[in-house]
Amino acid sequence: MADVVSELVRACNTARAKGMDFPTIWQTMLKQHPYVVGRPLQDQNEVGPALRVPLVTGRHLIFDASGFRLG
């Protein structure tokens, strides 16, 4: 399970590095992914605004100014 989530984080960061914005990544990669269990939630963290995408593992995929990471 951890490998699937780690690969999802890598894939999202790779797409972002290629110029994709969050709405495009959401529509093309995250929305239909079997580990994603809900819509993005708005949040705030130490670097500013963030989005938290809930995962089946109980953790969240965090997107903020520094990119995607597991939270």
Side-chain angles (χ1 to χ4, degrees), residues 36-52:
V36 173
V37 293
R39 299 178 59 88
L41 307 168
Q42 292 184 7
D43 200 4
Q44 183 83 19
N45 62 22
E46 62 279 353
V47 296
L51 292 170
R52 292 184 304 124

Side-chain angles (χ1 to χ4, degrees), residues 14-70:
T14 298
R16 183 175 177 262
K18 291 180 179 179
M20 280 189 186
D21 60 4
F22 182 85
T24 303
I25 293 170
W26 169 254
Q27 286 296 325
T28 61
M29 298 173 65
L30 295 175
K31 189 174 181 180
Q32 71 272 1
H33 196 280
Y35 276 45
V36 173
V37 293
R39 299 178 59 88
L41 307 168
Q42 292 184 7
D43 200 4
Q44 183 83 19
N45 62 22
E46 62 279 353
V47 296
L51 292 170
R52 292 184 304 124
V53 178
L55 301 174
V56 71
T57 62
R59 298 185 73 185
H60 290 87
L61 182 64
I62 308 293
F63 174 71
D64 60 23
S66 61
F68 288 89
R69 62 184 166 79
L70 193 56

